[in-house]
Coordinates of all heavy atoms in Angstrom, one line a residue:
M259 N -10.1 9.9 13.2 CA -8.8 9.1 13.2 C -8.2 9.3 11.7 O -8.9 9.2 10.7 CB -9.2 7.6 13.4 CG -8.0 6.8 13.3 SD -8.4 5.0 13.6 CE -6.8 4.3 13.8
S260 N -6.9 9.4 11.7 CA -6.3 9.5 10.4 C -5.9 8.1 9.9 O -5.9 7.2 10.6 CB -5.0 10.4 10.5 OG -4.1 9.8 11.4
S261 N -5.7 8.2 8.5 CA -5.4 6.9 8.0 C -4.0 6.4 8.4 O -3.2 7.1 8.8 CB -5.3 7.1 6.5 OG -6.6 7.4 6.0
V262 N -3.9 5.1 8.4 CA -2.7 4.3 8.8 C -2.3 3.4 7.7 O -3.1 2.9 7.0 CB -3.0 3.6 10.1 CG1 -1.8 2.7 10.5 CG2 -3.3 4.5 11.2
W263 N -1.1 3.1 7.6 CA -0.5 2.0 6.6 C -0.8 0.7 7.3 O -0.6 0.6 8.4 CB 1.0 2.3 6.3 CG 1.3 3.4 5.6 CD1 1.9 4.7 5.9 CD2 1.0 3.7 4.1 NE1 2.1 5.4 5.0 CE2 1.6 5.0 3.9 CE3 0.3 3.0 3.2 CZ2 1.4 5.6 2.6 CZ3 0.3 3.6 2.0 CH2 0.8 4.9 1.6
Y264 N -1.2 -0.2 6.4 CA -1.4 -1.6 6.9 C -0.7 -2.5 6.0 O -0.7 -2.3 4.8 CB -2.9 -2.0 7.1 CG -3.6 -1.2 8.1 CD1 -4.2 0.0 7.8 CD2 -3.6 -1.7 9.4 CE1 -4.8 0.7 8.9 CE2 -4.1 -1.1 10.4 CZ -4.8 0.3 10.1 OH -5.4 1.0 11.0
A265 N 0.0 -3.6 6.5 CA 0.6 -4.7 5.7 C -0.4 -5.8 5.6 O -0.9 -6.2 6.7 CB 1.9 -5.2 6.4
I266 N -0.7 -6.1 4.4 CA -1.5 -7.4 4.1 C -0.5 -8.5 3.7 O -0.1 -8.3 2.5 CB -2.7 -7.0 3.2 CG1 -3.5 -5.9 3.7 CG2 -3.4 -8.3 2.9 CD1 -4.5 -5.3 2.7
I267 N -0.3 -9.4 4.5 CA 0.7 -10.5 4.3 C -0.1 -11.8 4.0 O -0.8 -12.3 4.9 CB 1.7 -10.7 5.4 CG1 2.2 -9.3 5.8 CG2 2.7 -11.7 5.2 CD1 2.7 -9.1 7.3
S268 N 0.0 -12.3 2.9 CA -0.9 -13.4 2.5 C 0.1 -14.7 2.1 O 1.2 -14.4 1.5 CB -1.7 -13.1 1.3 OG -2.5 -12.0 1.5
E269 N -0.3 -15.8 2.5 CA 0.4 -17.0 2.2 C -0.5 -17.9 1.3 O -1.6 -18.1 1.6 CB 0.7 -17.7 3.5 CG 1.6 -16.9 4.4 CD 2.0 -17.5 5.6 OE1 2.0 -18.8 5.8 OE2 2.1 -16.8 6.6
D270 N 0.1 -18.4 0.1 CA -0.6 -19.2 -0.8 C -0.7 -20.6 -0.3 O 0.1 -21.1 0.4 CB 0.2 -19.2 -2.1 CG -0.1 -18.1 -3.0 OD1 -0.4 -17.0 -2.4 OD2 0.1 -18.1 -4.2
V271 N -1.7 -21.4 -0.8 CA -1.8 -22.6 -0.7 C -0.8 -23.3 -1.6 O -0.2 -22.6 -2.5 CB -3.3 -23.2 -1.0 CG1 -4.3 -22.7 0.0 CG2 -3.6 -23.0 -2.5
E272 N -0.6 -24.7 -1.5 CA 0.3 -25.3 -2.4 C -0.3 -25.3 -3.8 O -1.5 -25.4 -4.1 CB 0.6 -26.7 -1.9 CG 1.2 -27.0 -0.7 CD 2.7 -26.7 -0.8 OE1 3.3 -27.0 -1.8 OE2 3.3 -26.1 0.2
D273 N 0.7 -25.1 -4.9 CA 0.1 -25.2 -6.2 C -1.0 -24.3 -6.5 O -1.9 -24.6 -7.1 CB -0.2 -26.6 -6.6 CG 0.9 -27.7 -6.5 OD1 2.1 -27.3 -6.8 OD2 0.6 -28.8 -5.9
S274 N -0.7 -23.0 -6.1 CA -1.7 -22.0 -6.3 C -1.8 -21.3 -7.7 O -2.6 -20.5 -7.9 CB -1.6 -20.9 -5.2 OG -0.2 -20.2 -5.4
L275 N -0.7 -21.6 -8.5 CA -0.5 -20.8 -9.8 C -1.8 -20.7 -10.6 O -2.2 -19.6 -11.0 CB 0.6 -21.3 -10.5 CG 1.1 -20.4 -11.7 CD1 1.4 -19.0 -11.3 CD2 2.3 -21.0 -12.4
E276 N -2.4 -21.9 -10.9 CA -3.6 -21.8 -11.7 C -4.7 -21.0 -11.1 O -5.5 -20.2 -11.8 CB -4.1 -23.2 -12.2 CG -3.1 -23.9 -13.1 CD -2.7 -23.1 -14.3 OE1 -3.6 -22.6 -15.0 OE2 -1.5 -22.9 -14.6
R277 N -4.9 -21.2 -9.8 CA -6.0 -20.3 -9.2 C -5.7 -18.9 -9.2 O -6.5 -18.1 -9.5 CB -6.0 -20.8 -7.7 CG -6.7 -22.2 -7.4 CD -6.7 -22.5 -6.1 NE -6.9 -23.9 -5.8 CZ -7.3 -24.4 -4.5 NH1 -7.3 -23.6 -3.6 NH2 -7.5 -25.7 -4.6
R278 N -4.4 -18.5 -9.1 CA -4.0 -17.1 -9.1 C -4.2 -16.6 -10.5 O -4.8 -15.5 -10.7 CB -2.4 -17.0 -8.9 CG -2.0 -16.9 -7.5 CD -0.5 -16.7 -7.5 NE -0.1 -16.3 -6.1 CZ 0.0 -15.0 -5.7 NH1 -0.2 -14.1 -6.5 NH2 0.3 -14.8 -4.4
K279 N -3.8 -17.3 -11.6 CA -4.1 -16.9 -13.0 C -5.6 -16.7 -13.2 O -6.0 -15.7 -13.9 CB -3.6 -17.9 -13.9 CG -2.1 -17.9 -14.0 CD -1.5 -19.0 -15.1 CE -0.1 -19.1 -15.1 NZ 0.4 -20.1 -16.0
S280 N -6.4 -17.4 -12.7 CA -7.9 -17.3 -13.0 C -8.5 -16.1 -12.5 O -9.5 -15.7 -13.1 CB -8.6 -18.7 -12.4 OG -8.8 -18.6 -11.0
V281 N -8.1 -15.5 -11.4 CA -8.6 -14.3 -10.9 C -7.7 -13.1 -10.8 O -8.0 -12.1 -10.2 CB -9.3 -14.6 -9.5 CG1 -10.5 -15.6 -9.6 CG2 -8.2 -15.1 -8.6
R282 N -6.4 -13.2 -11.4 CA -5.6 -12.2 -11.3 C -6.0 -10.9 -11.9 O -5.8 -9.8 -11.2 CB -4.2 -12.6 -12.1 CG -3.2 -11.5 -12.0 CD -1.8 -12.1 -12.5 NE -0.8 -11.2 -12.2 CZ -0.2 -10.4 -13.0 NH1 -0.8 -10.2 -14.2 NH2 0.8 -9.6 -12.6
P283 N -6.8 -10.8 -13.1 CA -7.3 -9.5 -13.5 C -8.2 -8.8 -12.5 O -8.1 -7.7 -12.2 CB -8.1 -9.9 -14.7 CG -7.4 -11.1 -15.3 CD -7.1 -11.8 -14.0
S284 N -9.0 -9.6 -11.7 CA -9.9 -9.0 -10.7 C -9.1 -8.5 -9.6 O -9.3 -7.4 -8.9 CB -10.9 -10.0 -10.3 OG -11.8 -10.4 -11.4
H285 N -8.1 -9.3 -9.1 CA -7.2 -8.8 -8.1 C -6.5 -7.6 -8.4 O -6.5 -6.7 -7.6 CB -6.2 -10.0 -7.8 CG -5.1 -9.6 -6.9 ND1 -5.2 -9.5 -5.5 CD2 -3.8 -9.3 -7.2 CE1 -4.0 -9.3 -5.0 NE2 -3.2 -9.1 -6.0
L286 N -5.9 -7.6 -9.6 CA -5.2 -6.3 -9.9 C -6.1 -5.1 -10.1 O -5.6 -4.0 -9.9 CB -4.5 -6.5 -11.2 CG -3.2 -7.6 -11.1 CD1 -2.6 -7.7 -12.6 CD2 -2.2 -7.1 -10.2
E287 N -7.3 -5.3 -10.6 CA -8.2 -4.1 -10.6 C -8.4 -3.6 -9.3 O -8.4 -2.3 -9.1 CB -9.6 -4.7 -11.2 CG -10.6 -3.7 -11.5 CD -11.7 -4.2 -12.1 OE1 -11.6 -5.0 -13.2 OE2 -12.9 -3.9 -11.5
R288 N -8.6 -4.4 -8.2 CA -8.8 -3.9 -6.9 C -7.6 -3.2 -6.5 O -7.7 -2.1 -5.7 CB -9.2 -5.0 -5.9 CG -10.5 -5.5 -6.1 CD -10.8 -6.6 -5.2 NE -11.3 -6.0 -4.0 CZ -10.7 -6.2 -2.7 NH1 -9.6 -6.8 -2.6 NH2 -11.2 -5.5 -1.7
V289 N -6.3 -3.7 -6.5 CA -5.1 -3.1 -6.2 C -4.9 -1.7 -7.0 O -4.5 -0.8 -6.4 CB -4.0 -4.0 -6.4 CG1 -2.7 -3.3 -6.0 CG2 -4.1 -5.3 -5.5
Q290 N -5.2 -1.7 -8.2 CA -5.1 -0.5 -9.1 C -6.1 0.6 -8.5 O -5.6 1.8 -8.4 CB -5.5 -0.7 -10.5 CG -5.3 0.4 -11.3 CD -3.9 0.9 -11.4 OE1 -3.0 0.2 -11.7 NE2 -3.8 2.2 -11.3
A291 N -7.1 0.2 -7.9 CA -8.0 1.2 -7.3 C -7.4 1.9 -6.1 O -7.6 3.1 -5.8 CB -9.4 0.5 -6.9
L292 N -6.6 1.1 -5.4 CA -5.8 1.7 -4.3 C -4.8 2.7 -4.8 O -4.5 3.7 -4.3 CB -5.1 0.7 -3.5 CG -5.9 -0.4 -2.7 CD1 -5.0 -1.3 -2.0 CD2 -6.7 0.5 -1.6
V293 N -4.0 2.3 -5.9 CA -3.1 3.2 -6.6 C -3.8 4.5 -7.1 O -3.4 5.5 -6.8 CB -2.5 2.5 -7.9 CG1 -1.6 3.5 -8.6 CG2 -1.7 1.3 -7.5
D294 N -4.9 4.4 -7.7 CA -5.7 5.5 -8.2 C -6.0 6.5 -7.0 O -6.2 7.6 -7.2 CB -6.9 5.0 -9.0 CG -6.6 4.3 -10.3 OD1 -5.5 4.3 -10.6 OD2 -7.6 3.6 -10.8
D295 N -6.3 5.9 -5.9 CA -6.7 6.7 -4.7 C -5.5 7.3 -3.9 O -5.7 7.9 -2.9 CB -7.6 5.9 -3.7 CG -9.0 5.5 -4.3 OD1 -9.4 6.3 -5.3 OD2 -9.6 4.7 -3.8
G296 N -4.3 6.9 -4.4 CA -3.2 7.3 -3.7 C -2.9 6.7 -2.3 O -2.3 7.2 -1.5
R297 N -3.4 5.5 -2.3 CA -3.4 4.7 -1.0 C -2.5 3.5 -1.0 O -2.4 2.7 0.0 CB -4.8 4.3 -0.6 CG -5.7 5.4 -0.4 CD -7.1 5.1 -0.2 NE -7.4 3.8 0.6 CZ -8.4 3.0 0.5 NH1 -9.3 3.3 -0.4 NH2 -8.4 1.9 1.3
L298 N -1.7 3.2 -2.1 CA -0.9 2.0 -2.2 C 0.5 2.5 -2.0 O 1.0 3.3 -2.7 CB -1.0 1.3 -3.4 CG -0.2 0.0 -3.6 CD1 -0.8 -1.0 -2.7 CD2 -0.2 -0.5 -5.0
L299 N 1.3 1.8 -1.1 CA 2.7 2.0 -0.9 C 3.5 1.1 -1.8 O 4.4 1.5 -2.5 CB 3.1 1.9 0.5 CG 4.6 2.2 0.9 CD1 4.9 3.6 0.6 CD2 4.9 1.9 2.4
L300 N 3.1 -0.1 -1.7 CA 3.7 -1.2 -2.6 C 2.9 -2.4 -2.6 O 2.0 -2.6 -1.7 CB 5.1 -1.5 -2.1 CG 5.4 -2.1 -0.8 CD1 5.3 -3.7 -0.9 CD2 6.8 -1.8 -0.2
A301 N 3.1 -3.3 -3.6 CA 2.3 -4.5 -3.7 C 3.0 -5.5 -4.6 O 3.7 -5.0 -5.7 CB 0.9 -4.3 -4.3
G302 N 2.9 -6.8 -4.3 CA 3.6 -7.7 -5.2 C 3.6 -9.1 -4.6 O 3.4 -9.2 -3.3
P303 N 3.8 -10.1 -5.4 CA 3.9 -11.5 -4.9 C 5.3 -11.9 -4.5 O 6.3 -11.2 -4.8 CB 3.5 -12.2 -6.2 CG 4.1 -11.4 -7.3 CD 4.0 -10.0 -6.8
H304 N 5.4 -13.0 -3.8 CA 6.6 -13.7 -3.4 C 6.9 -14.8 -4.2 O 6.2 -15.9 -4.1 CB 6.6 -14.2 -1.9 CG 6.3 -13.1 -0.9 ND1 7.2 -12.2 -0.4 CD2 5.1 -12.7 -0.3 CE1 6.5 -11.3 0.5 NE2 5.3 -11.6 0.5
P305 N 7.8 -14.7 -5.1 CA 8.1 -15.9 -6.0 C 8.6 -17.1 -5.2 O 9.2 -17.0 -4.2 CB 9.3 -15.3 -6.9 CG 9.2 -13.9 -6.9 CD 8.6 -13.6 -5.6
A306 N 8.2 -18.3 -5.7 CA 8.5 -19.5 -5.0 C 10.0 -20.0 -5.2 O 10.5 -20.7 -4.4 CB 7.7 -20.7 -5.4
V307 N 10.8 -19.3 -6.1 CA 12.1 -19.6 -6.3 C 12.8 -18.3 -6.3 O 12.2 -17.2 -6.5 CB 12.3 -20.5 -7.6 CG1 11.7 -21.8 -7.5 CG2 11.8 -19.6 -8.9
D308 N 14.1 -18.3 -6.4 CA 15.0 -17.1 -6.3 C 15.0 -16.4 -7.6 O 16.1 -16.6 -8.3 CB 16.3 -17.4 -5.8 CG 17.2 -16.2 -5.5 OD1 16.7 -15.2 -5.4 OD2 18.4 -16.4 -5.3
S309 N 13.9 -16.0 -8.1 CA 13.8 -15.3 -9.4 C 12.6 -14.5 -9.5 O 11.6 -14.8 -8.9 CB 13.7 -16.4 -10.6 OG 13.4 -15.7 -11.7
I310 N 12.6 -13.3 -10.2 CA 11.4 -12.5 -10.2 C 10.5 -13.1 -11.3 O 9.4 -12.6 -11.2 CB 11.8 -10.9 -10.6 CG1 12.6 -10.9 -12.0 CG2 12.6 -10.3 -9.5 CD1 12.7 -9.5 -12.5
E311 N 10.9 -13.9 -12.1 CA 10.0 -14.6 -13.1 C 10.1 -16.2 -12.6 O 10.8 -16.8 -13.3 CB 10.4 -14.3 -14.5 CG 10.3 -12.9 -14.8 CD 8.8 -12.4 -14.9 OE1 8.0 -13.3 -14.9 OE2 8.7 -11.2 -14.8
P312 N 9.2 -16.6 -11.8 CA 9.4 -17.9 -11.2 C 8.8 -19.0 -12.2 O 9.0 -20.2 -11.9 CB 8.6 -18.0 -9.9 CG 7.6 -16.9 -10.2 CD 8.2 -15.9 -11.0
G313 N 8.1 -18.6 -13.3 CA 7.6 -19.6 -14.1 C 6.5 -20.6 -13.5 O 5.8 -20.1 -12.6
S314 N 6.7 -21.9 -13.8 CA 5.8 -22.8 -13.2 C 5.9 -23.0 -11.8 O 5.0 -23.6 -11.0 CB 5.9 -24.2 -14.0 OG 7.1 -24.6 -13.8
A315 N 7.0 -22.5 -11.2 CA 7.1 -22.6 -9.6 C 6.2 -21.8 -8.9 O 5.7 -22.1 -7.8 CB 8.6 -22.3 -9.3
G316 N 5.7 -20.8 -9.6 CA 4.6 -19.9 -9.0 C 5.0 -19.0 -7.9 O 6.3 -18.7 -7.8
F317 N 4.1 -18.9 -6.9 CA 4.4 -17.9 -5.9 C 4.0 -18.6 -4.4 O 3.1 -19.5 -4.4 CB 3.6 -16.6 -6.1 CG 3.9 -16.0 -7.4 CD1 3.2 -16.2 -8.5 CD2 4.9 -15.1 -7.4 CE1 3.5 -15.6 -9.7 CE2 5.3 -14.4 -8.7 CZ 4.6 -14.8 -9.8
T318 N 4.6 -18.0 -3.5 CA 4.2 -18.5 -2.0 C 3.3 -17.5 -1.3 O 2.9 -17.8 -0.2 CB 5.5 -18.7 -1.2 OG1 6.2 -17.4 -1.1 CG2 6.4 -19.7 -1.9
G319 N 3.0 -16.4 -1.9 CA 2.2 -15.4 -1.2 C 2.4 -14.1 -1.8 O 2.9 -13.9 -2.9
S320 N 1.8 -13.0 -1.1 CA 1.8 -11.7 -1.6 C 2.0 -10.7 -0.4 O 1.6 -11.1 0.7 CB 0.5 -11.3 -2.2 OG 0.3 -12.2 -3.3
L321 N 2.4 -9.5 -0.7 CA 2.6 -8.4 0.3 C 1.9 -7.2 -0.4 O 2.2 -6.8 -1.4 CB 3.9 -8.2 0.7 CG 4.2 -6.9 1.6 CD1 3.6 -7.0 2.9 CD2 5.7 -6.6 1.7
I322 N 1.0 -6.5 0.3 CA 0.3 -5.3 0.0 C 0.5 -4.4 1.2 O 0.2 -4.7 2.3 CB -1.1 -5.4 -0.4 CG1 -1.2 -6.3 -1.6 CG2 -1.7 -4.1 -0.5 CD1 -2.7 -6.7 -2.0
I323 N 1.0 -3.2 1.0 CA 1.1 -2.2 2.1 C 0.2 -1.0 1.5 O 0.5 -0.4 0.5 CB 2.5 -1.9 2.4 CG1 3.3 -3.1 2.9 CG2 2.4 -0.6 3.5 CD1 4.7 -2.7 3.3
A324 N -0.9 -0.8 2.2 CA -1.8 0.2 1.7 C -2.3 1.1 2.9 O -2.3 0.6 4.1 CB -2.9 -0.3 0.9
E325 N -3.0 2.1 2.6 CA -3.5 3.1 3.6 C -5.1 2.8 3.8 O -5.7 2.8 2.8 CB -3.2 4.5 3.2 CG -3.5 5.6 4.2 CD -3.1 6.9 3.7 OE1 -3.2 7.2 2.5 OE2 -2.7 7.6 4.5
F326 N -5.4 2.7 5.1 CA -6.9 2.5 5.4 C -7.2 3.3 6.6 O -6.3 3.7 7.3 CB -7.1 1.0 5.7 CG -7.0 0.1 4.4 CD1 -5.8 -0.5 4.1 CD2 -8.1 -0.1 3.5 CE1 -5.7 -1.4 3.0 CE2 -8.0 -0.9 2.5 CZ -6.7 -1.5 2.2
E327 N -8.6 3.5 6.9 CA -9.0 4.3 8.0 C -8.8 3.6 9.3 O -8.6 4.2 10.4 CB -10.3 4.7 7.7 CG -10.5 5.7 6.6 CD -9.9 7.2 7.0 OE1 -9.9 7.6 8.2 OE2 -9.2 7.7 6.1
S328 N -8.8 2.2 9.2 CA -8.7 1.4 10.4 C -8.3 0.1 10.1 O -8.3 -0.4 8.9 CB -10.1 1.4 11.1 OG -11.0 0.6 10.3
L329 N -7.8 -0.7 11.1 CA -7.6 -2.1 11.0 C -8.8 -3.0 10.4 O -8.6 -3.7 9.5 CB -7.1 -2.7 12.2 CG -6.8 -4.2 12.3 CD1 -5.7 -4.5 11.3 CD2 -6.4 -4.6 13.8
E330 N -10.0 -2.6 10.9 CA -11.1 -3.3 10.4 C -11.4 -3.0 9.0 O -11.7 -4.1 8.2 CB -12.3 -2.9 11.2 CG -12.4 -3.3 12.7 CD -11.4 -2.4 13.6 OE1 -11.0 -1.3 13.3 OE2 -11.1 -3.0 14.6
D331 N -11.2 -1.8 8.5 CA -11.3 -1.5 7.0 C -10.2 -2.3 6.3 O -10.6 -2.8 5.2 CB -11.2 0.0 6.8 CG -12.2 0.8 7.2 OD1 -13.3 0.2 7.5 OD2 -12.2 2.0 7.4
A332 N -9.1 -2.4 6.7 CA -7.9 -3.1 6.0 C -8.3 -4.6 5.9 O -8.1 -5.2 5.0 CB -6.6 -2.9 6.8
E333 N -8.8 -5.2 7.1 CA -9.1 -6.6 7.2 C -10.3 -6.9 6.2 O -10.3 -7.9 5.5 CB -9.5 -6.9 8.5 CG -8.4 -7.0 9.5 CD -8.7 -7.2 11.0 OE1 -9.7 -6.9 11.4 OE2 -7.9 -7.8 11.7
A334 N -11.3 -6.0 6.1 CA -12.4 -6.2 5.3 C -12.0 -6.1 3.8 O -12.5 -7.0 3.0 CB -13.4 -5.1 5.5
W335 N -11.0 -5.1 3.5 CA -10.6 -5.1 2.1 C -9.9 -6.4 1.8 O -10.2 -6.9 0.6 CB -9.7 -3.9 2.0 CG -9.3 -3.6 0.5 CD1 -9.9 -2.9 -0.3 CD2 -8.1 -4.3 -0.1 NE1 -9.3 -2.9 -1.6 CE2 -8.2 -3.8 -1.4 CE3 -7.2 -5.1 0.2 CZ2 -7.2 -4.0 -2.4 CZ3 -6.2 -5.5 -0.8 CH2 -6.3 -5.0 -2.0
A336 N -9.0 -6.9 2.7 CA -8.2 -8.2 2.4 C -9.1 -9.3 2.2 O -8.9 -10.1 1.5 CB -7.2 -8.3 3.6
A337 N -10.2 -9.3 3.0 CA -11.1 -10.6 2.9 C -11.9 -10.6 1.7 O -12.3 -11.6 1.3 CB -12.1 -10.4 4.2
A338 N -12.1 -9.4 1.1 CA -12.9 -9.3 -0.1 C -12.0 -9.6 -1.4 O -12.4 -9.6 -2.6 CB -13.6 -8.0 -0.3
D339 N -10.6 -9.9 -1.3 CA -9.7 -10.1 -2.3 C -10.2 -11.2 -3.2 O -10.5 -12.3 -2.7 CB -8.4 -10.2 -1.8 CG -7.3 -10.2 -2.9 OD1 -7.4 -10.9 -4.0 OD2 -6.4 -9.4 -2.8
P340 N -10.2 -11.2 -4.5 CA -10.6 -12.3 -5.3 C -9.7 -13.6 -5.0 O -10.2 -14.7 -5.2 CB -10.5 -11.8 -6.7 CG -10.7 -10.3 -6.6 CD -10.1 -9.9 -5.3
Y341 N -8.5 -13.3 -4.7 CA -7.6 -14.5 -4.4 C -8.1 -15.1 -3.2 O -8.0 -16.5 -3.2 CB -6.2 -14.0 -4.0 CG -5.4 -13.8 -5.4 CD1 -4.1 -13.1 -5.2 CD2 -5.9 -13.9 -6.7 CE1 -3.3 -12.8 -6.3 CE2 -5.0 -13.6 -7.7 CZ -3.8 -13.1 -7.6 OH -3.0 -12.8 -8.7
V342 N -8.7 -14.6 -2.2 CA -9.3 -15.3 -1.1 C -10.4 -16.1 -1.5 O -10.6 -17.4 -1.2 CB -9.7 -14.2 0.0 CG1 -10.7 -15.0 1.1 CG2 -8.6 -13.5 0.6
G343 N -11.4 -15.6 -2.4 CA -12.5 -16.2 -2.9 C -12.2 -17.5 -3.7 O -12.9 -18.4 -3.8
A344 N -11.0 -17.4 -4.5 CA -10.6 -18.4 -5.3 C -9.8 -19.5 -4.6 O -9.4 -20.5 -5.1 CB -9.8 -17.9 -6.5
G345 N -9.5 -19.3 -3.3 CA -8.8 -20.3 -2.5 C -7.3 -20.2 -2.8 O -6.6 -21.1 -2.6
V346 N -6.8 -19.1 -3.2 CA -5.4 -18.9 -3.5 C -4.6 -18.9 -2.1 O -3.6 -19.5 -2.0 CB -5.0 -17.6 -4.2 CG1 -3.5 -17.4 -4.3 CG2 -5.6 -17.8 -5.7
Y347 N -5.2 -18.3 -1.1 CA -4.5 -18.0 0.1 C -4.9 -19.0 1.2 O -6.0 -19.3 1.4 CB -4.7 -16.6 0.6 CG -4.2 -15.4 -0.2 CD1 -4.9 -14.2 -0.3 CD2 -3.0 -15.5 -0.9 CE1 -4.4 -13.2 -1.0 CE2 -2.7 -14.5 -1.7 CZ -3.4 -13.5 -1.6 OH -2.8 -12.3 -2.5
S348 N -3.9 -19.5 1.9 CA -4.1 -20.3 3.1 C -4.2 -19.5 4.4 O -4.8 -19.9 5.3 CB -3.0 -21.3 3.3 OG -1.8 -20.9 3.6
K349 N -3.6 -18.3 4.3 CA -3.6 -17.4 5.5 C -3.4 -16.0 5.1 O -2.7 -15.8 4.2 CB -2.5 -17.8 6.4 CG -2.3 -17.0 7.7 CD -1.2 -17.5 8.5 CE -1.0 -16.8 9.9 NZ 0.2 -17.0 10.6
V350 N -4.1 -15.1 5.7 CA -4.0 -13.6 5.5 C -3.8 -13.1 6.8 O -4.6 -13.2 7.7 CB -5.1 -13.1 4.7 CG1 -4.9 -11.4 4.4 CG2 -5.3 -13.8 3.3
T351 N -2.7 -12.2 6.9 CA -2.4 -11.5 8.3 C -2.4 -10.0 7.9 O -1.8 -9.5 6.8 CB -1.0 -11.8 8.8 OG1 -1.0 -13.1 9.0 CG2 -0.8 -11.0 10.0
V352 N -3.2 -9.3 8.7 CA -3.3 -7.8 8.4 C -2.7 -7.1 9.6 O -3.4 -7.4 10.8 CB -4.7 -7.4 7.9 CG1 -4.7 -5.8 7.8 CG2 -5.2 -8.0 6.8
K353 N -1.8 -6.2 9.6 CA -1.4 -5.4 10.8 C -0.9 -4.1 10.4 O -0.5 -3.9 9.3 CB -0.3 -6.3 11.5 CG 0.9 -6.7 10.7 CD 1.7 -7.6 11.6 CE 2.7 -8.4 10.9 NZ 3.5 -9.2 11.7
P354 N -0.8 -3.2 11.4 CA -0.4 -1.8 11.2 C 1.1 -1.8 10.7 O 1.8 -2.7 11.2 CB -0.5 -1.1 12.5 CG -1.5 -1.9 13.2 CD -1.4 -3.4 12.8
F355 N 1.5 -0.9 9.8 CA 2.9 -0.8 9.4 C 3.2 0.8 9.4 O 2.5 1.6 9.1 CB 2.8 -1.2 7.8 CG 4.1 -1.0 7.2 CD1 5.3 -1.9 7.4 CD2 4.4 0.1 6.4 CE1 6.5 -1.7 6.8 CE2 5.5 0.3 5.8 CZ 6.6 -0.7 6.0
K356 N 4.5 0.8 10.0 CA 5.0 2.1 10.2 C 6.2 2.2 9.3 O 7.2 1.5 9.5 CB 5.5 2.4 11.7 CG 6.2 3.9 11.8 CD 6.5 4.1 13.2 CE 7.2 5.3 13.4 NZ 7.7 5.6 14.7
Q357 N 6.2 3.1 8.2 CA 7.3 3.2 7.3 C 8.3 4.1 8.1 O 8.0 5.3 8.4 CB 6.9 3.9 6.1 CG 8.1 4.0 5.0 CD 7.7 4.5 3.7 OE1 6.5 5.0 3.5 NE2 8.7 4.5 2.8
V358 N 9.6 3.6 8.1 CA 10.6 4.4 8.7 C 11.7 4.9 7.6 O 12.1 6.0 7.6 CB 11.4 3.6 9.8 CG1 12.6 4.4 10.3 CG2 10.4 3.3 11.0
L359 N 12.0 4.0 6.7 CA 12.9 4.4 5.6 C 12.3 3.9 4.3 O 11.7 2.8 4.3 CB 14.3 3.6 5.9 CG 15.0 4.1 7.1 CD1 16.2 3.2 7.4 CD2 15.5 5.5 7.0
P360 N 12.7 4.3 3.3 CA 13.3 5.6 3.0 C 12.5 6.8 3.5 O 11.3 6.8 3.4 CB 13.8 5.7 1.6 CG 12.6 4.9 1.0 CD 12.3 3.9 2.0

């Protein structure tokens, strides 16, 4: 089976900013590994307000689109995210993604 893109859509708990900050370096290290392997299409958080720098408003979740061998591999990767362990996310959805544009 060839690799497929997967969207990892995460939703934060209320007032997640301090939890995010506490494990952000570990989270970014894992995402950087995807970059280094050429498996990351895009990644980033969803600001809680209409600004790329939300300050104390924090974030409402994150989106990662990356390449994995299977849905099970993508789900396992998502489940091991430091944000999951720190209780940042209330919900994580993983599903196949088909890039059409650009």
Side-chain angles (χ1 to χ4, degrees):
M259 178 180 191
S260 61
S261 297
V262 174
W263 292 110
Y264 292 91
I266 301 170
I267 307 153
S268 306
E269 297 176 32
D270 282 22
V271 297
E272 292 288 323
D273 300 317
S274 63
L275 189 57
E276 291 308 313
R277 291 180 190 190
R278 274 182 169 268
K279 288 179 181 178
S280 73
V281 294
R282 186 170 188 260
S284 300
H285 168 78
L286 291 179
E287 185 177 311
R288 291 182 79 242
V289 176
Q290 184 62 48
L292 293 173
V293 173
D294 295 346
D295 291 344
R297 297 172 41 208
L298 184 71
L299 183 62
L300 64 89
H304 301 284
V307 294
D308 191 11
S309 171
I310 60 170
E311 296 296 336
S314 62
F317 301 92
T318 62
S320 300
L321 172 64
I322 295 173
I323 299 179
E325 192 175 31
F326 294 93
E327 289 297 318
S328 68
L329 178 60
E330 293 77 19
D331 288 344
E333 289 173 333
W335 188 92
D339 191 309
Y341 282 171
V342 171
V346 172
Y347 296 146
S348 63
K349 180 180 179 184
V350 177
T351 302
V352 180
K353 53 185 166 181
F355 175 80
K356 179 181 177 185
Q357 183 178 6
V358 175
L359 296 170

